[in-house]
Amino acid sequence: MRIALTGATGLVGRFIEAGARAAGHEVTRLTRRPGPGDLTFDLSSPPPALGDHDALIHCAFDHIPGRYRGGEGEDPEGFARRNRDGSLRLFEVGRAAGIGAAIFLSTRAVYGDYAPGTLLTEDLTLRPDTLYGQVKAEVEAGLHALAAPGFAPSSLRATGVYGPGPGHKWQGLFADYRAGRPIPPRVATEVHGADVATACLALISAQATGAFNCSDLTLDQHDLLAEVQRLTGCPHDPPPRADASKVNAMDCTRLKDLGWHPGGWDRLRADLPAML
């Protein structure tokens, strides 16, 4: 299968590219700085032709580096226009070119401000409370409206993505902990980037349509840093446990029904030395 992928150099896209290639698929990267075999792509410009591809995975998102919520900076209108309109142009070109499946990397932020302890299921009404979540929700709606015979659009609502690599999400946390700086209690939902990759491949294989939650661990920083302490011999105590009852867990039954099996604690422990 030949897959067109945007955002391949980003935090999540690099895992998806690696996973797709490892599964035997050809990957064409759509990027602002194309190399050999890549296609030029920018959310502000017309998309390239995609007629010789079987699937499209769209991970690219224009935002201030390192920031998703609040990533619009001082230009909220431009942020919304580039990401919403540019994404929908890309999907329209893909459908017109005969691509069979299209996946949009969405986010749990589309659910917004549900009360602590709410189980997030795909059939809940979306009520994003950030511009980031709002734009992602608008792209989802526009993509799903393009569904047609021979074109299967889906959105993957991923939680916080972790995994080894430059600038990984816990780099600052680990540095603060090992330096003895105060770490506040926190518990959150997490998923490994490699598991996001297998989720995308499962959606393509099933020609699935609609929205799918993508989450694995409900992870307390106490437990994470206790593992860091075990590996490094750091003398500092991990922070106290947070109140897990206030976490809005994500129900991933729809994705698991397609045969998706995330790596859980085994995958986290296996990659933790590389992240350190």
Side-chain angles (χ1 to χ4, degrees):
M1 182 180 298
R2 194 166 188 206
I3 298 172
L5 172 65
T6 74
T9 60
L11 175 67
V12 183
R14 58 191 171 87
F15 287 106
I16 294 175
E17 179 181 11
R21 293 190 187 278
H25 303 296
E26 295 182 46
V27 178
T28 301
R29 303 196 301 177
L30 278 61
T31 175
R32 287 176 293 184
R33 293 176 286 277
D38 299 340
L39 294 176
T40 302
F41 173 72
D42 187 294
L43 283 163
S44 300
S45 306
L50 298 173
D52 53 352
H53 292 82
D54 304 295
L56 166 65
I57 304 175
H58 179 35
C59 299
F61 208 72
D62 190 322
H63 59 89
I64 294 174
R67 294 177 63 186
Y68 297 94
R69 292 173 176 83
E72 66 271 16
E74 301 299 321
D75 184 23
E77 291 184 6
F79 171 87
R81 182 178 62 253
R82 290 188 300 274
N83 288 299
R84 180 191 58 236
D85 300 348
S87 296
L88 293 178
R89 277 196 303 267
L90 175 66
F91 289 128
E92 289 165 355
V93 165
R95 187 180 74 162
I99 279 179
I103 299 172
F104 175 55
L105 183 67
S106 191
T107 168
R108 67 169 287 146
V110 298
Y111 292 111
D113 61 352
Y114 277 93
T118 300
L119 179 64
L120 302 179
T121 61
E122 291 92 344
D123 58 354
L124 286 175
T125 299
L126 303 186
R127 48 192 220 190
D129 55 354
T130 63
L131 182 58
Y132 170 70
Q134 176 185 329
V135 170
K136 288 280 192 177
E138 290 172 352
V139 175
E140 280 198 36
L143 171 60
H144 296 161
L146 294 175
F151 181 70
S154 58
S155 53
L156 192 65
R157 295 173 181 167
T159 188
V161 178
Y162 78 91
H168 70 80
K169 69 175 295 181
W170 293 327
Q171 189 169 308
L173 173 67
F174 291 170
D176 286 345
Y177 168 66
R178 297 177 74 178
R181 290 186 278 270
I183 306 294
R186 184 174 187 267
V187 61
T189 54
E190 309 285 355
V191 66
H192 195 292
D195 291 321
V196 177
T198 58
C200 289
L201 297 179
L203 293 178
I204 291 173
S205 177
Q207 294 287 287
T209 60
F212 294 81
N213 285 340
C214 185
S215 179
D216 183 12
L217 297 170
T218 299
L219 182 64
D220 194 305
Q221 284 189 162
H222 172 92
D223 296 321
L224 175 62
L225 295 176
E227 286 293 314
V228 173
Q229 184 180 49
R230 181 180 64 82
L231 289 170
T232 64
C234 181
H236 309 298
D237 291 331
R241 292 187 181 278
D243 184 355
S245 69
K246 295 182 178 179
V247 175
N248 292 348
M250 301 180 76
D251 182 348
C252 299
T253 302
R254 290 195 69 197
L255 194 53
K256 291 178 179 178
D257 284 346
L258 299 179
W260 180 71
H261 302 289
W265 266 99
D266 288 344
R267 174 157 271 165
L268 188 155
R269 289 191 178 100
D271 275 354
L272 197 51
M275 287 185 276
L276 289 167

